Amino acid sequence: MKAGERLIVALDVPTPDEARAFISKIGEHAGVWKIGLELLFAGGAELAAALSAQGQKVFVDAKLLDIPHTIERATANIADMGAAFLTVHGHDMKTMEAAMNGRGTSDLKLLAVTVLTSLDKADLEQQGSMMTTDELVLHRANLRREAGFDGVIASGHEAAAIREATGDDFLIVTPGIRPAGTDAGDQARVMTPSRAIQAGADYLVVGRPILQAKDPAAAARAIVEEIGRALG
Ligand code: C5P
């Protein structure tokens, strides 16, 4: 996989028009367009289907969590849209099996959310978890692998341990990416593009460092170059 294919740009904007404006600005520098909850409820589902029909790779970041029947039907609809990736937020086998059934024989890759990169140890304690962030991420990654998922979303800080535990054919998709000198915002566990790749990430998810840059295309290009250097 080339460096450019590994960059997932998070289209965290309120309208499809704004998303399309960024897509035409950033163009070939991104490998995958991620459509998240904000945009999904404002025409983003239609945008995802249209981009997929044009041959673009689309990541529907719906972070699904519901009863198995609903998960299966929702996953099937997202597979029918032609999406390339989908996130599922289930923390149990039933949810994951339902998503596997829903994607059927389509090419949709299922990614599990482990622990949101905005959460730190204190937040997990508040949720009642006795595990550290690293332990919980690893525990959930192993569960997802057993369920047959294609990969997980995990911060760069957990990527190396997940890679070691799950092997090479399990995708690690890493948000919380901040090129040197950029603002962390609400992300608690950030990492530079090169360090995340060195830690074992396959794909990097980048939103604000590109969308809020003066020149989004140049920011995306610089990240792809950094990925390329890290890959050697
Ligand atoms: O702007 P920023 O680069 O922080 O955006 C990161 C993107 O990755 C957001 O769209 C966010 O929803 C997503 N994400 C995340 N942490 C996860 C899963 C997804 O930040 N664990």
Side-chain angles (χ1 to χ4, degrees):
M1 195 163 47
K2 284 192 231 143
E5 293 172 55
R6 294 173 185 269
L7 175 62
I8 300 176
V9 173
L11 294 169
D12 294 333
V13 291
T15 65
D17 283 350
E18 283 166 83
R20 283 196 180 278
F22 274 117
I23 291 168
S24 53
K25 263 187 219 160
I26 300 162
E28 67 204 8
H29 300 303
V32 183
W33 305 108
K34 185 172 86 69
I35 299 183
L37 290 175
E38 178 183 7
L39 194 52
L40 276 175
F41 294 107
E46 292 73 14
L47 177 68
L51 290 172
S52 301
Q54 288 164 18
Q56 303 270 347
K57 274 194 164 183
V58 177
F59 174 172
V60 176
D61 191 11
K63 296 189 178 74
L64 299 181
L65 178 58
D66 212 313
I67 58 168
H69 178 74
T70 308
I71 292 281
E72 183 173 336
R73 303 280 281 255
T75 304
N77 282 348
I78 293 164
D80 284 348
M81 279 162 48
F85 298 94
L86 166 68
T87 40
V88 177
H89 217 357
H91 297 174
D92 62 279
M93 277 293 178
K94 278 185 193 160
T95 305
M96 289 183 283
E97 279 166 9
M100 294 289 289
N101 290 338
R103 75 132 168 228
T105 55
S106 73
D107 291 331
L108 177 66
K109 290 203 188 308
L110 295 174
L111 303 172
V113 180
T114 51
V115 177
L116 290 174
T117 42
S118 54
L119 302 183
D120 59 22
K121 194 169 178 299
D123 298 311
L124 295 183
E125 273 171 17
Q126 211 172 46
Q127 289 182 3
S129 171
M130 298 300 151
M131 291 187 186
T132 64
T133 317
D134 290 5
E135 286 166 349
L136 191 59
V137 167
L138 208 57
H139 169 71
R140 289 182 177 169
N142 277 320
L143 206 64
R144 271 69 194 248
R145 187 174 177 76
E146 276 171 44
F149 264 44
D150 298 284
V152 286
I153 309 288
S155 93
H157 296 278
E158 294 101 26
I162 294 174
R163 180 60 71 216
E164 202 183 317
T166 58
D168 280 342
D169 60 341
F170 196 58
L171 297 176
I172 301 176
V173 177
T174 300
I177 297 297
R178 291 294 179 268
T182 54
D183 187 12
D186 58 357
Q187 296 282 22
R189 291 174 288 134
V190 298
M191 200 174 256
T192 63
S194 49
R195 289 211 38 224
I197 291 289
Q198 283 155 5
D202 295 292
Y203 291 91
L204 305 185
V205 179
V206 188
R208 287 162 289 181
I210 292 176
L211 304 189
Q212 293 177 357
K214 273 202 196 93
D215 182 345
R221 191 173 55 234
I223 291 170
V224 171
E225 284 167 3
E226 189 175 333
I227 294 172
R229 284 195 299 276
L231 290 168

